Amino acid sequence: MDRRKFFRNGSLFAIGTAVLNPFETIAQYPDISAISKGKKAKNIIVLVSDGMSSGTLNMADIYLNRKYGKGSNWLNLYRENKVSRALMDMASASSIVTDSAAASSSWGGGVRVKNGSLNIGINGEEHLPIWQKFKKAGKMAGCVTTVPITHATPAGFCANSKSRNSQPEIAETYLKMGFDVMMGGGLKHFDSAMRKDNKDVLAAYQSKGYQVVKNRTEMLASSNEKPILGVFYEDGLPYSIDRENNKDLTNSIPTLAEMTQKAIDRMKSNKNGFVLQVEGGKVDWAAHANDIAGLLYDQIALDEAIQVAMEFAEKDGETLVIMTSDHGNANPGIIYGKKANDEFDLVQRFKHTNEWILNGITGTSSHAQIIERVEFANGFAPTEEEAKLILGYYEGLAKAEDGLYNYKHIPFKAFSEIQKSRISVGWISMDHSADYTELAMFGPGSTELKPFIKNTELHYFMLKAAEIENKF
């Protein structure tokens, strides 16, 4: 390996250019030569909490501490000084506020691209995604997520596309690339009955030797000797708290931790190792909806996947575990007040998301029915006036924000304001923010992480930690 050539463009920690020009797209090559050959990362597991603001990480930890007396796996790794920790500048080529496609592409392709595109440079050039590079090097590669497997974050590690919305085409691209485990939602992009072109993409996967699994039972029973395509829901998977409180969903939809364990079991015997991306994608969707139950319980679901990854990595000794987020979203937090402790503890009694509550209301619902539904799901009874306010959105007397993933124009913001006075949780928006994101690492190469890096540098960090030359 020609190390001088590989690192000719500078250090992982030379951040001056990024500070001066946040939209700069030239690749930065890290110098982590201190990693000895005996310490290379045979395997890499990247866990992404999509849209996780620092307040989300903080609230999940406080919630778990107050309910169980022990914080989150993520922050316990900080408390136990088991990981290296940094902040990461996630700007895209078009904005200081990134979207998930550009964010994932910065890690996947090693350059900054415009929001909305996947590994396509500002001049239309294609950048080979990192999971394809690792496949060419002989490793197995896969992704698991709680949103469609064709969604922006997994796609950023795996595919090239001018538009993140080309999910039916991305479903076919995955097959061409021969990825070993792809599991999540997004059945509508694979099933001939749901695709506009009526292509039977599921049959195409089966003809190439894939096990196609559509529920939790089939996933758990699948062989570790063949590649796996798992599509468990038409679009994104149900939120974790809604799944937990619905027996049918509990039986049919695997948790993110279960998908993570299955993916590891499928790929861990490969002599050249594996790479795996794990995404808590519905954390982002919940933030867009200001949905506290969706946000907290899906963050905790990602945290349970961290435990699976860490248990494997600590036993294995050759696995680099990376935990991060691609951008902030809505910047939620617990608000000061004399009753903040008790009010935040009320979230422990929640049974369902705001999505579940509001989808069950219609223009013909009565005030009493709305009050009863909210009290069942959240443990508090809204006032008659609050029920009237909510009903107004269904009677056409008020209009809810359009919002990403709010296709039915549900009054998410109005309802979160009603909750705010009971649970002491507030939000600054319903969209992405330009936060520097949390980045933590455990395993081979992790000690070389410095306190502040640029998003594109993570691409080369992973290649170098695994001693894979950037020649593809």
Side-chain angles (χ1 to χ4, degrees):
M1 180 188 297
D2 187 347
R3 292 177 182 268
R4 292 183 180 179
K5 181 178 179 182
F6 186 61
F7 298 122
R8 67 187 180 279
N9 287 335
S11 167
L12 172 63
F13 316 115
I15 63 170
T17 304
V19 173
L20 291 172
N21 181 8
F23 306 134
E24 176 268 321
T25 62
I26 298 174
Q28 298 292 312
Y29 292 78
D31 182 2
I32 53 173
S33 54
I35 300 175
S36 68
K37 286 189 176 293
K39 297 278 184 156
K40 77 173 182 179
K42 180 181 178 182
N43 312 307
I44 299 176
I45 302 174
V46 183
L47 299 111
V48 181
S49 181
D50 197 301
M52 184 192 78
S53 298
S54 59
T56 301
L57 182 65
N58 167 255
M59 286 193 295
D61 186 70
I62 292 174
Y63 172 92
L64 291 168
N65 252 319
R66 293 185 66 79
K67 186 170 184 177
Y68 300 110
K70 183 179 180 181
S72 66
N73 291 303
W74 192 325
L75 288 192
N76 283 339
L77 290 170
Y78 290 179
R79 294 183 180 99
E80 297 163 9
N81 198 28
K82 282 189 173 183
V83 293
S84 299
R85 181 187 179 192
L87 290 177
M88 182 161 48
D89 176 5
M90 291 303 302
S92 73
S94 55
S95 178
I96 56 175
V97 184
T98 191
D99 81 329
S100 294
S104 187
S105 295
S106 70
W107 307 326
V111 298
R112 285 179 168 171
V113 302
K114 293 180 180 180
N115 288 349
S117 63
L118 293 163
N119 297 306
I120 302 293
I122 57 175
N123 297 313
E125 69 279 12
E126 292 190 357
H127 297 275
L128 189 66
I130 193 165
W131 266 204
Q132 291 190 39
K133 292 181 179 181
F134 279 125
K135 282 288 290 183
K136 289 176 182 291
K139 294 188 184 296
M140 286 188 173
C143 298
V144 299
T145 181
T146 54
V147 297
I149 190 61
T150 49
H151 219 253
T153 302
F157 274 49
C158 299
N160 299 90
S161 179
K162 292 180 180 179
S163 173
R164 59 179 289 174
N165 296 323
S166 302
Q167 294 190 67
E169 291 76 19
I170 291 169
E172 296 181 73
T173 297
Y174 290 166
L175 179 58
K176 293 175 184 176
M177 296 301 105
F179 295 114
D180 300 277
V181 179
M182 303 300 278
M183 294 193 293
L187 179 62
K188 65 183 181 181
H189 303 302
F190 294 84
D191 192 322
S192 61
M194 302 182 198
R195 286 175 59 108
K196 290 182 179 179
D197 60 10
N198 301 124
K199 281 187 180 179
D200 192 344
V201 180
L202 295 176
Y205 273 82
Q206 289 174 322
S207 70
K208 290 290 183 70
Y210 279 79
Q211 302 168 90
V212 174
V213 296
K214 296 183 180 180
N215 58 55
R216 179 175 179 269
T217 300
E218 291 177 357
M219 185 202 76
L220 294 175
S222 62
S223 169
N224 291 327
E225 305 303 316
K226 295 180 180 180
I228 304 169
L229 172 68
V231 276
F232 306 111
Y233 218 68
E234 180 178 339
D235 196 26
L237 301 186
Y239 283 110
S240 294
I241 190 171
D242 292 333
R243 175 193 173 278
E244 290 171 9
N245 287 288
N246 181 308
K247 189 173 293 185
D248 290 339
L249 291 178
T250 302
N251 292 334
S252 63
I253 307 294
T255 66
L256 188 59
E258 288 171 337
M259 287 190 279
T260 301
Q261 186 65 64
K262 186 62 183 181
I264 291 172
D265 290 344
R266 160 68 185 127
M267 299 190 291
K268 66 183 180 182
S269 298
N270 186 43
K271 66 178 182 179
N272 295 317
F274 69 87
V275 289
L276 172 66
Q277 184 202 79
V278 178
E279 184 202 16
K282 299 239 12 200
V283 172
D284 182 65
W285 294 24
H288 279 297
N290 288 185
D291 191 331
I292 185 61
L295 186 87
L296 277 184
Y297 286 88
D298 268 70
Q299 179 65 29
I300 292 168
L302 184 278
D303 200 66
E304 291 167 352
I306 288 175
Q307 181 177 353
V308 171
M310 285 299 301
E311 287 176 352
F312 173 78
E314 289 188 291
K315 182 178 180 180
D316 173 71
E318 297 182 286
T319 299
L320 174 64
V321 177
I322 300 171
M323 294 156 282
T324 191
S325 178
D326 52 352
H327 51 74
N329 191 340
N331 296 87
I334 303 171
I335 301 166
Y336 177 77
K338 293 182 179 179
K339 297 181 179 180
N341 290 18
D342 292 337
E343 289 179 346
F344 183 66
D345 286 348
L346 177 61
V347 180
Q348 296 177 22
R349 294 162 55 187
F350 281 21
K351 296 178 180 177
H352 286 289
T353 60
N354 298 359
E355 179 181 87
W356 182 92
I357 293 169
L358 298 173
N359 270 327
I361 297 172
T362 70
T364 60
S365 297
S366 67
H367 294 169
Q369 287 172 327
I370 294 173
I371 292 169
E372 181 182 13
R373 187 171 182 84
V374 173
E375 188 168 18
F376 170 78
N378 281 182
F380 71 85
T383 66
E384 186 84 14
E385 192 62 30
E386 288 169 334
K388 180 180 178 181
L389 172 68
I390 292 299
L391 187 58
Y393 289 92
Y394 297 85
E395 294 176 331
L397 303 177
K399 187 179 185 302
E401 303 79 9
D402 290 336
L404 199 59
Y405 312 122
N406 188 11
Y407 313 117
K408 297 179 181 179
H409 303 290
I410 294 172
F412 284 121
K413 184 174 179 58
F415 188 67
S416 73
E417 288 295 319
I418 291 172
Q419 288 176 319
K420 180 180 176 181
S421 64
R422 275 80 169 187
I423 62 174
S424 291
V425 172
W427 313 74
I428 69 162
S429 75
M430 301 184 81
D431 215 334
H432 295 183
S433 53
D435 306 35
Y436 294 146
T437 62
E438 285 282 340
L439 174 63
M441 294 184 184
F442 171 88
S446 61
T447 57
E448 301 307 312
L449 180 67
K450 300 306 181 194
F452 189 89
I453 73 166
K454 178 182 169 183
N455 50 5
T456 55
E457 298 167 38
L458 185 58
H459 174 98
Y460 302 98
F461 193 105
M462 288 188 282
L463 290 175
K464 186 61 187 71
E467 295 187 355
I468 302 297
E469 188 174 1
N470 189 37
K471 62 183 179 181
F472 303 109

